[in-house]
Amino acid sequence: MKKNWMALLMGIVMATLLLSACSNEGSSNEADADGGSGEAATEQVLKIGNDQEPAGLDPHKVPAHSSIRIYEKIYDSLLTFDEDMKVQPELAEKWEQPDETTYVFTLREGVKFHNGREMTAEDVKYSFERIMDEETASIAKSYFDKVESIEVVSPTEIKFTLSEPYAPFLSYVASTNAAIVAKEVVEENGDLNQAAVGTGPFKLDEWLPDNHVKLSKNEDYYKDGQPKLDGITYLTMKDESARLAAIRTGEVHVTTLSSQSIPLAEKSDGVEIKSYQSTEYSYVGFNVNKEPFNDVKVRQAISLAVDRKEVADVVWKGDAVLSGPIPESMGQWAIDVSQEELYQQNIEKAKELLAEAGYEDGFETVISTASTYTDMVDTAQLLQQQLEAIGIKAEIKQLEWGQYIDTWTNGDHDMLVGRNSSGSDPDRSIGFFFSTDGSANVWGFSDEKIDQLAEEGRTTIDPEKRVEIYNEAQKRVIEQTPNLFLVSPEKFFIVRDSVDNYSPTANEPENFNDVVIME
């Protein structure tokens, strides 16, 4: 009996070991299929050290990057872009263009909002009409000024009719700011700044101001196998040293750091630096409704007084290139600004222009900036020093993020240091920011030539002719200097080694749909 009992016990042990081995092999293979080299961690919640609190989650109204990086996970648009910046289907599975002013989109069937309701063409119509409604004050309104009518053909088909040919139309339909939203959620809450219900890969679970934003996996997402994560938690860490410490200890999986902190991060074990040339540029915006910035000679004098190479070297540690209104990363659309006269530092010429404008002895002004972005503060401080050479005494006003957004929106500033993104079409860089009716023209700037070129660029279909138009438009914007364009920075993500399948690109720097957290 004893021998039989021992034999039975050994059999159970061997069977258990064999079962365990098979189970482990299966886990390893599954992880390898996801691109990993080991086992997936039990908790698939990606923790991100966020440098800024979101300013609201309404995709039609809020332009702040701190908001976009979150609500772009919650909402989808009809179209999207691939890595080569080519328009691809998203909520629309296909589209047709019967003529130059008509676009017909066929929607995917069975796509659900996070509240469980199926999305239809009525939701698409409502979303675009909300964007186009002046009372919404949508950041994307000017994107769709050429839309004459929107017709629901069927629950899965919708037709847009434009007033004339409009080259950027599909690019703007693919914008995050053209997200499809649910009417009942807007009506229930007034807007979507605090309540977010979309069709995207992640759902809003909780937003605790100045602490964290929690997203969870959309189990009904229409893309099979995505997202692989169970959730994403954005931990608000405005202090850069706190983010550096958190990524070193593994408190967070991903964060961003300025160029100054990259050497420190590189010395840390278990982390990897992932970089890409951004479509952003740093700028100084002038309130052209205020003296002395209503005089183009004053704005040009400031441009001549600024040493942009020093901005690149000091603020970005050399990890930046000169930029105009369309940054270098936009390829064929960008001009070589290094040869532009207003990009050559010339103190004497700057003083002459100030004297011609009636400011021979200079003047006093205020440079406003966001206190929580190191690069913006450093840029303001460097400009303060450089402008002293032509007699301009600038006080720096550091604003909390909410104040900064309000200041940008209301035009309540003299000079404002910031960063903009060029988007996917050159019309954004010219018409959106600098045409008289541009949704993001917060500078009070108006120029007939810019308006004319912006209109030609929008309505010209031939790509080569569009390049010529936008080349001329960039030179005109630089000459008029409603903004002082500085540099386009390289951007950095600091990532723990446990994060698999993540490669930031200029188009999709924070696409985590295929990410897996490994042990």
Side-chain angles (χ1 to χ4, degrees):
M1 286 290 295
K2 186 174 182 180
K3 288 182 179 180
N4 289 341
W5 181 84
M6 288 296 293
L8 178 61
L9 179 60
M10 288 300 293
I12 293 172
V13 170
M14 291 300 293
T16 302
L17 290 174
L18 180 61
L19 181 62
S20 176
C22 291
S23 175
N24 287 338
E25 183 179 357
S27 298
S28 179
N29 287 341
E30 184 178 352
D32 289 344
D34 290 337
S37 56
E39 293 186 11
T42 301
E43 185 181 41
Q44 290 294 308
V45 176
L46 189 72
K47 296 177 182 177
I48 299 175
N50 199 0
D51 57 11
Q52 189 55 262
E53 176 80 0
L57 296 176
D58 194 324
H60 297 163
K61 301 177 73 169
V62 184
H65 171 68
S66 61
S67 296
I68 292 173
R69 70 186 306 189
I70 295 173
Y71 66 59
E72 70 179 359
K73 315 291 190 302
I74 299 170
Y75 294 96
D76 285 327
S77 302
L78 288 182
L79 305 176
T80 188
F81 295 98
D82 61 18
E83 291 182 0
D84 298 320
M85 298 297 287
K86 292 182 180 178
V87 175
Q88 300 293 339
E90 193 164 71
L91 292 179
E93 64 179 8
K94 64 179 181 179
W95 69 92
E96 298 174 356
Q97 190 177 358
D99 55 58
E100 287 189 334
T101 59
T102 305
Y103 296 82
V104 181
F105 297 90
T106 301
L107 307 182
R108 298 181 189 276
E109 294 187 32
V111 174
K112 294 180 179 180
F113 285 108
H114 298 156
N115 60 9
R117 182 175 67 78
E118 188 167 337
M119 181 206 70
T120 71
E122 290 288 351
D123 296 300
V124 176
K125 186 175 190 292
Y126 170 77
S127 297
F128 279 90
E129 288 181 344
R130 180 176 188 254
I131 292 169
M132 295 160 58
D133 187 343
E134 288 187 2
E135 291 188 7
T136 305
S138 173
I139 190 67
K141 180 185 179 301
S142 63
Y143 287 175
F144 303 109
D145 283 346
K146 302 294 184 186
V147 175
E148 199 168 67
S149 66
I150 305 173
E151 178 187 349
V152 172
V153 180
S154 75
T156 58
E157 192 169 85
I158 189 162
K159 181 171 75 173
F160 289 75
T161 302
L162 312 186
S163 58
E164 58 185 321
Y166 184 48
F169 180 67
L170 290 178
S171 293
Y172 285 151
V173 168
S175 166
T176 303
N177 298 123
I180 306 306
V181 305
K183 179 180 180 179
E184 68 271 20
V185 180
V186 177
E187 291 181 341
E188 181 181 346
N189 296 279
D191 61 28
L192 298 169
N193 275 327
Q194 302 294 325
V197 176
T199 63
F202 294 94
K203 303 183 294 184
L204 176 65
D205 275 357
E206 181 181 54
W207 177 6
L208 187 60
D210 293 318
N211 191 288
H212 66 257
V213 177
K214 288 185 177 181
L215 308 181
S216 63
K217 178 178 183 175
N218 177 9
E219 299 286 356
D220 293 324
Y221 194 49
Y222 73 90
K223 293 183 181 179
D224 289 341
Q226 291 189 359
K228 292 180 169 59
L229 292 169
D230 293 324
I232 302 175
T233 297
Y234 292 86
L235 299 169
T236 302
M237 297 179 172
K238 298 178 182 180
D239 184 70
E240 183 155 289
S241 61
R243 297 198 304 277
L244 178 60
I247 195 71
R248 281 173 162 172
T249 61
E251 180 184 348
V252 300
H253 298 104
V254 180
T255 194
T256 54
L257 296 173
S258 66
S259 296
Q260 289 91 331
S261 295
I262 296 304
L264 297 174
E266 288 174 333
K267 297 176 182 178
S268 304
D269 293 332
V271 302
E272 184 179 357
I273 314 298
K274 294 179 182 282
S275 65
Y276 65 95
Q277 183 59 48
S278 74
T279 58
E280 290 185 358
Y281 60 83
S282 61
Y283 70 88
V284 181
F286 300 106
N287 187 337
V288 302
N289 289 323
K290 283 187 177 181
E291 294 184 0
F293 305 109
N294 59 341
D295 192 322
V296 66
K297 290 183 178 180
V298 171
R299 304 195 300 267
Q300 290 174 340
I302 292 174
S303 184
L304 289 168
V306 170
D307 184 344
R308 290 169 173 81
K309 186 178 184 305
E310 189 176 17
V311 173
D313 291 342
V314 173
V315 177
W316 302 99
K317 299 301 178 185
D319 297 319
V321 295
L322 291 181
S323 183
I326 301 180
E328 184 182 282
S329 56
M330 286 287 284
Q332 65 172 344
W333 301 110
I335 63 173
D336 180 6
V337 294
S338 65
Q339 304 305 311
E340 294 297 314
E341 181 181 357
L342 289 174
Y343 276 65
Q344 317 306 317
Q345 188 182 39
N346 188 332
I347 300 300
E348 293 308 311
K349 177 67 174 175
K351 288 180 177 179
E352 289 177 15
L353 287 173
L354 278 186
E356 291 174 15
Y359 298 96
E360 185 175 0
D361 297 325
F363 56 85
E364 295 182 359
T365 189
V366 176
I367 301 176
S368 299
T369 190
S371 61
T372 49
Y373 282 109
T374 304
D375 64 277
M376 293 187 190
V377 174
D378 290 347
T379 298
Q381 291 173 343
L382 188 57
L383 292 176
Q384 181 187 48
Q385 297 170 18
Q386 293 180 353
L387 294 181
E388 287 180 358
I390 59 171
I392 296 177
K393 297 179 180 179
E395 172 193 345
I396 295 175
K397 189 176 183 180
Q398 296 191 35
L399 304 171
E400 289 299 318
W401 189 235
Q403 291 178 293
Y404 180 85
I405 295 297
D406 288 343
T407 298
W408 181 89
T409 303
N410 300 327
D412 185 23
H413 63 271
D414 292 348
M415 299 170 65
L416 183 75
V417 171
R419 274 186 274 120
N420 277 332
S421 170
S422 63
S424 56
D425 189 276
D427 177 63
R428 174 180 164 89
S429 298
I430 303 299
F432 183 61
F433 287 115
F434 301 112
S435 64
T436 302
D437 296 327
S439 293
N441 182 354
V442 297
W443 321 113
F445 176 71
S446 181
D447 180 79
E448 288 185 8
K449 185 64 175 176
I450 292 298
D451 289 347
Q452 174 194 333
L453 290 169
E455 185 66 11
E456 287 180 14
R458 295 187 192 108
T459 56
T460 298
I461 304 300
D462 185 289
E464 292 185 5
K465 289 182 179 178
R466 288 193 86 209
V467 169
E468 293 176 6
I469 291 167
Y470 285 111
N471 281 354
E472 184 180 353
Q474 288 172 85
K475 291 178 179 291
R476 178 67 178 178
V477 172
I478 289 171
E479 175 192 326
Q480 293 299 304
T481 321
N483 279 189
L484 184 69
F485 307 101
L486 300 172
V487 297
S488 176
E490 190 174 355
K491 301 299 287 292
F492 300 93
F493 281 93
I494 321 304
V495 184
R496 295 292 304 181
D497 289 347
S498 56
V499 176
D500 248 11
N501 295 343
Y502 172 55
S503 297
T505 63
N507 177 43
E508 290 191 311
E510 298 186 47
N511 185 339
F512 301 120
N513 286 5
D514 288 316
V515 163
V516 178
I517 302 171
M518 312 303 292
E519 292 285 10

